[in-house]
Amino acid sequence: MMALSGAARGEVSEGEEPGKPEAGTAETSAVDNGAAAPGTPVAGEAAAGEPGAASDSATDTSQVSDSSLAGFDTEMMKSRGIDPRIAEYFMEGARFSPGMSLVTLSVNGQRKGAAMARFDDKGKLCFDARFLRRAGLRMPGDNEPGAPDAKTAAGAAHTDVGGECLDFRGAWPETVVTLRPNATAVDLLVPTDALRPDAPVRADFTTGGVAALLNYDLLATGSQSGDSSTRYYSASNEFGFNAGDWIVRNRNMYSNDGTTSNFSHLYAYAQRTFVAQEAVFQGGEINVGNSIFPGPAIYGVQWLPEMALKRSTGGGTNIEGIAQTQARIEVRQAGALIYTTMVPPGPFTLSNVPLLNGSNDVEVTVIEATGSSRKFVVPAAQLNAGTLGVTPGYTLAVGKLRQLGGDVQVKPWMATGTGTWRAGRDVGITGGLMIGTQYQGAGVGVDSRLFANTTYVSMRALASNAVREGNRGAQLTGSASTTLGQGFSFNASATQETPGYRSLTDTTQDTTTDWINNHYRGQYTAGVSWSHPTFGGLSLNYSRSNLFVGETTQRITGSWGKTFRHATVSLSVEKGIGGGNVSNGNSVYLSVSVPLGKRSVRGYVNRVDGSTRLGVTYNEVVNDVVNYSLNAEGRPTEGSASGAANVSLTPYYTRLNLGASQYGTSSTSYNGTLSGGVVAHRNGVTFSPYAIGDTFGIASLGEVAGIKISTPQGSVWTDHWGQAVISSAPAYTSSRLEISTRSLPRNIDVSNAFQQISPGRGSVSYVNFDVVKVRRLLLHAVGPDGKPLARNSTVMDAEGGFLTTVLNDGTIFLPNTDAVKGMQVVDRDGKVCLLDFTLPLTQDLNAYFDEANAECKPAGAAEGGQK
């Protein structure tokens, strides 16, 4: 009961005196059907946290006398049928449960993160030596030479019975302790002399933890058309562990198209964030990041800024396109297959592609269910959304080149450094050097914000000297983005190279033939977007690439969308021009979507290279586990039809997608994906429907299975052992975890349905939700005369402690039946009787409470309680 009171009351400052307003000046707002709500101010009681709030420490419940009830209008309580004994209970303010509790600690306004705190049986905070160290506090003389002074001796003498709690407040009487049980927080305001001068500065995040993980992503597709058939399989895995804020990862990818197999080992590295330096150390098979140069893959080490602790100068970009059928998308960077997925027919956006770096172009291949394919390139300048994509700070890397796309002629050693400095409030300067075996490079860049931060411009210039090839050259890159008026924005980028320019990875290839045939002289992008409440949103993007051999490739994409009252209309356009080995795939896609609660219907028209398709798709989200879609499509010009069905399953601990399609009468395709993660931790092994990130955690809910918890990544469910994986949490920021109370069994209560975590990079957070198995009981009680007990009579336990009050018609609600033996009822005249009832043998878990009849017998006539 006291825990509920503390949770409802808010905050209380220790050491304040109970308020004593004039009698009859306040209303009994806590009376509902005659029952006083726990933790709600009764007549004359100040709200917690306001002047006159009840104290957690100054009031000793074992010594409450009648005179201490002067702060309550006892006559008004009697007139409303409320036993004045209730005042004794509500004299106590908010309090923590006795024992150890995990709290959020704040000292002089500086948050110290999570800390274990001890509370005595009166809810008073215990200042033991461990807590003082954690809070960065000291007793007088602790950090001074010589013997402790008199105040120190007095503080050491005033300990509790166990000899553990120091009299910190006696030593520092100016101290203000604010307890907030509802937020599981403790706020301290102490004199500056009480702060340890050598206390380390601790930010508001947790560190440490040990766990191992495995992420998996399996894809299988197949098609049958006439006498020919195709098969494709891919498997991506990442495994590693976190220990002491170190992150160790190994990532691989395997693919097989039925005739050839390909295995890509993408990386294996260890890294750790050093918070004081706001930087990350990384070593192993890595990709050089945060560099002004195109990031090569190396065997080596690097030191780069921690982006979560520094604001990056640029964001990412989306990869957009249109699929004509259920298509497979392959994304390659630096010659390596880094991502593959399935998309339904229509426009698609890939927003979570794990790029190796922001300096190499990305090649996207769209493979249709019919077997046709087309490719397009996203220039590196576009990946950084109009900026250099370099985080302020210093980056150093040393190592030996490794090639992701196959064997190379040479693997040179290299060393590179990049630094970014601020030259005024709105200008940043970036410079760097790269030195390799028979190779030198230098680069400089400028970022600037103009016109009241509405325009962002960046320029980059790289120069190279490839000694072995005898080539010297330069690459120039410029980008700009601006917001012109409300809802209108524009961005553009351009990259130009001279024939003699070489990156370090270029020197590993035969640049006399292959390089000149496949290398770009210039790459250009431009995009415009506009949004209006009436006319909707419009965007148009253009890219152009020129090879040194004279071949030109162009791509135009555009989209428009508008949400009306009952429908959403969208139009997407894609057009490719040029490129000898690139299918243009010109496409126009118009769709109208109508939401119907958990269901939706979408009709569309798709015109591709002169062929028109008409279709309709039905989607339904059945529940948290199952959603599916059905599609029917016709081709009027060809006189053919097709159909497709897809189902997505999230059976709590993994994710499964299955699909099948029929195109005409002779072509069939199918696909399936399985993805998720597994974590081995100190409490066992737990499966996750999502891939595990570099910062994650484990939530525990007793041993209660199937409980839904909302996490930053999405909803997860506890397994048979009450464990669930917090698959990914943003580092150095707060995230909320919340239990869906509707998923709790009827016999389970939680003291707090949400918790907040603030993890450091590479930490493993262990979050425990306190659960209590309860059995709620609703008694229909009558007195010795057979009539219902009087409303507002007080119900007390065998020791005389307040439990609740009698409601209408003699009903008594007990939130927990652990202590029901010997219950007694006291009416307004002071008459006492003992409750006698029989508890049902089995608990009804489908009902919120059990019901039973009770008889209240005069004291001495019955034992009372449960039979």
Side-chain angles (χ1 to χ4, degrees):
M1 197 67 179
M2 299 304 288
L4 283 173
S5 173
R9 289 286 302 275
E11 64 181 51
V12 169
S13 293
E14 291 188 358
E16 297 177 355
E17 293 294 333
K20 296 180 175 59
E22 294 181 5
T25 59
E27 293 294 327
T28 50
S29 60
V31 177
D32 180 12
N33 273 341
T40 309
V42 186
E45 182 182 6
E50 300 175 355
S55 168
D56 275 352
S57 60
T59 302
D60 186 346
T61 57
S62 65
Q63 300 177 3
V64 175
S65 63
D66 291 341
S67 63
S68 67
L69 303 183
F72 297 87
D73 189 342
T74 56
E75 291 302 321
M76 180 178 288
M77 296 175 68
K78 289 180 179 179
S79 69
R80 297 189 177 218
I82 301 176
D83 188 352
R85 295 169 183 262
I86 298 176
E88 296 183 13
Y89 175 79
F90 287 110
M91 284 293 294
E92 300 300 324
R95 62 172 57 189
F96 283 89
S97 299
M100 300 296 296
S101 294
L102 182 66
V103 300
T104 300
L105 180 62
S106 172
V107 179
N108 290 5
Q110 299 295 318
R111 298 188 66 183
K112 298 289 186 176
M116 293 301 297
R118 185 187 304 278
F119 298 90
D120 63 17
D121 56 358
K122 299 177 183 178
K124 184 178 179 180
L125 176 64
C126 172
F127 287 89
D128 56 21
R130 178 195 48 77
F131 181 80
L132 292 180
R133 287 194 301 270
R134 175 65 185 82
L137 304 175
R138 69 182 184 95
M139 295 294 289
D142 282 356
N143 294 87
E144 299 173 6
D149 57 21
K151 187 179 292 187
T152 304
H158 287 77
T159 61
D160 63 3
V161 176
E164 298 177 356
C165 297
L166 301 174
D167 188 10
F168 182 83
R169 293 188 58 193
W172 306 103
E174 303 93 340
T175 297
V176 177
V177 179
T178 302
L179 305 180
R180 294 188 288 137
N182 62 318
T184 61
V186 172
D187 299 333
L188 303 179
L189 186 62
V190 302
T192 55
D193 289 343
L195 300 174
R196 282 179 50 199
D198 60 342
V201 178
R202 181 185 175 98
D204 183 24
F205 57 84
T206 57
T207 60
V210 178
L213 64 91
L214 169 66
N215 292 324
Y216 59 91
D217 194 341
L218 311 177
L219 169 67
T221 68
S223 65
Q224 182 74 40
S225 180
D227 296 332
S228 64
S229 62
T230 62
R231 301 287 187 274
Y232 178 85
Y233 310 94
S234 71
S236 174
N237 72 77
E238 182 182 50
F239 60 90
F241 62 88
N242 287 22
D245 298 330
W246 280 93
I247 302 169
V248 179
R249 294 292 186 271
N250 184 305
R251 186 179 175 207
N252 306 280
M253 190 159 191
Y254 169 82
S255 63
N256 186 310
D257 62 4
T259 57
T260 59
S261 298
N262 179 55
F263 178 82
S264 298
H265 176 64
L266 299 181
Y267 52 68
Y269 66 87
Q271 77 170 55
R272 189 183 190 278
T273 295
F274 293 86
V275 177
Q277 290 75 30
E278 297 184 341
V280 176
F281 170 81
Q282 191 178 65
E285 298 173 339
I286 60 176
N287 299 285
V288 176
N290 201 63
S291 175
I292 194 173
F293 301 97
I298 65 172
Y299 304 94
V301 296
Q302 67 176 336
W303 178 270
L304 67 163
E306 168 57 79
M307 289 187 292
L309 296 174
K310 292 176 175 286
R311 187 176 62 83
S312 176
T313 59
T317 189
N318 294 330
I319 298 176
E320 300 178 345
I322 298 177
Q324 317 306 331
T325 62
Q326 291 189 104
R328 186 174 83 251
I329 311 298
E330 294 182 354
V331 181
R332 288 177 169 82
Q333 189 179 37
L337 179 65
I338 60 173
Y339 185 75
T340 182
T341 188
M342 295 292 299
V343 297
F348 65 84
T349 299
L350 308 180
S351 57
N352 294 310
V353 179
L355 299 178
L356 299 178
N357 56 68
S359 303
N360 291 86
D361 297 341
V362 170
E363 181 185 81
V364 182
T365 305
V366 182
I367 305 172
E368 304 289 352
T370 57
S372 63
S373 66
R374 66 183 186 280
K375 297 180 181 180
F376 61 88
V377 174
V378 180
Q382 188 175 344
L383 294 176
N384 293 312
T387 72
L388 292 176
V390 178
T391 302
Y394 296 93
T395 298
L396 300 172
V398 178
K400 186 177 182 180
L401 218 66
R402 64 188 182 98
Q403 187 67 19
L404 295 175
D407 294 334
V408 296
Q409 294 181 357
V410 292
K411 294 182 179 179
W413 285 89
M414 57 79 64
T416 182
T418 297
T420 300
W421 307 269
R422 188 169 297 279
R425 188 179 66 177
D426 297 321
V427 178
I429 298 176
T430 300
L433 295 173
M434 178 176 284
I435 300 174
T437 305
Q438 296 186 320
Y439 180 88
Q440 299 87 40
V444 64
V446 177
D447 292 317
S448 180
R449 293 182 177 88
L450 307 173
F451 310 119
N453 290 335
T454 61
T455 302
Y456 196 100
V457 177
S458 64
M459 300 293 294
R460 180 177 68 188
L462 302 179
S464 68
N465 177 28
V467 178
R468 181 171 64 89
E469 295 81 2
N471 287 312
R472 294 183 179 180
Q475 180 192 76
L476 301 176
T477 299
S479 63
S481 61
T482 185
T483 301
L484 303 175
Q486 186 174 5
F488 184 84
S489 62
F490 172 80
N491 67 82
S493 71
T495 300
Q496 192 75 28
E497 291 184 6
T498 65
Y501 175 78
R502 302 290 188 272
S503 68
L504 181 62
T505 54
D506 290 334
T507 64
T508 66
Q509 305 168 5
D510 183 358
T511 59
T512 58
T513 55
D514 294 339
W515 185 90
I516 200 69
N517 292 327
N518 296 285
H519 215 66
Y520 294 104
R521 177 190 296 272
Q523 294 175 295
Y524 315 93
T525 70
V528 61
S529 63
W530 177 66
S531 62
H532 191 275
T534 302
F535 301 105
L538 175 69
S539 67
L540 185 65
N541 295 281
Y542 169 80
S543 65
R544 177 188 177 98
S545 299
N546 299 329
L547 293 172
F548 276 101
V549 293
E551 187 177 294
T552 300
T553 301
Q554 302 176 77
R555 183 170 180 259
I556 301 173
T557 62
S559 65
W560 169 82
K562 167 71 172 144
T563 299
F564 298 91
R565 182 175 181 181
H566 298 294
T568 298
V569 181
S570 64
L571 174 68
S572 299
V573 178
E574 180 180 19
K575 184 175 180 61
I577 305 172
N581 58 350
V582 179
S583 174
N584 292 336
N586 300 328
S587 176
V588 178
Y589 195 96
L590 174 66
S591 71
V592 179
S593 180
V594 180
L596 304 170
K598 290 187 175 182
R599 305 169 181 85
S600 66
V601 177
R602 179 173 59 90
Y604 62 90
V605 179
N606 184 201
R607 184 167 181 81
V608 184
D609 293 336
S611 176
T612 302
R613 302 176 178 180
L614 304 174
V616 61
T617 300
Y618 173 82
N619 293 277
E620 180 177 1
V621 178
V622 179
N623 49 42
D624 290 328
V625 176
V626 181
N627 67 81
Y628 68 92
S629 66
L630 303 173
N631 172 261
E633 185 177 272
R635 301 183 184 185
T637 57
E638 302 176 10
S640 62
S642 63
N646 290 272
V647 60
S648 178
L649 305 174
T650 307
Y652 290 3
Y653 314 121
T654 190
R655 303 182 77 180
L656 175 64
N657 292 277
L658 301 172
S661 306
Q662 179 71 37
Y663 299 94
T665 58
S666 59
S667 180
T668 303
S669 68
Y670 52 86
N671 66 83
T673 63
L674 183 69
S675 61
V678 186
V679 178
H681 51 92
R682 69 188 186 190
N683 298 326
V685 177
T686 308
F687 290 79
S688 167
Y690 313 108
I692 314 300
D694 58 16
T695 305
F696 57 95
I698 301 295
S700 299
L701 201 67
E703 293 186 357
V704 186
I707 306 304
K708 181 180 177 181
I709 304 176
S710 297
T711 74
Q713 186 72 17
S715 296
V716 296
W717 293 263
T718 57
D719 60 15
H720 178 73
W721 297 273
Q723 310 283 329
V725 178
I726 308 166
S727 59
S728 182
Y732 308 110
T733 188
S734 296
S735 299
R736 181 185 176 101
L737 308 177
E738 185 170 3
I739 295 174
S740 174
T741 54
R742 292 185 178 182
S743 64
L744 289 171
R746 297 293 189 182
N747 65 330
I748 296 296
D749 270 351
V750 292
S751 59
N752 199 341
F754 77 92
Q755 292 198 36
Q756 217 164 348
I757 59 173
S758 301
R761 178 83 67 191
S763 66
V764 181
S765 301
Y766 288 92
V767 182
N768 294 316
F769 288 91
D770 293 331
V771 298
V772 180
K773 289 188 177 182
V774 298
R775 188 172 187 182
R776 305 176 187 89
L777 183 63
L778 185 68
L779 293 178
H780 302 279
V782 296
D785 56 1
K787 295 181 180 180
L789 294 179
R791 175 184 170 185
N792 291 336
S793 297
T794 302
V795 182
M796 309 178 73
D797 61 22
E799 287 73 32
F802 173 80
L803 291 179
T804 185
T805 58
V806 178
L807 305 177
N808 292 333
D809 301 322
T811 55
I812 301 172
F813 178 71
L814 299 170
N816 198 336
T817 59
D818 285 345
V820 296
K821 188 174 180 63
M823 286 191 302
Q824 49 188 324
V825 178
V826 183
D827 63 17
R828 68 184 65 184
D829 297 325
K831 295 180 180 179
V832 179
C833 63
L834 300 180
L835 283 172
D836 190 31
F837 60 93
T838 300
L839 192 66
L841 294 178
T842 58
Q843 185 176 3
D844 184 1
L845 296 182
N846 295 319
Y848 184 72
F849 51 79
D850 289 320
E851 295 186 70
N853 295 320
E855 181 181 357
C856 202
K857 300 180 179 181
E863 217 176 275
Q866 172 192 351
K867 291 182 179 177

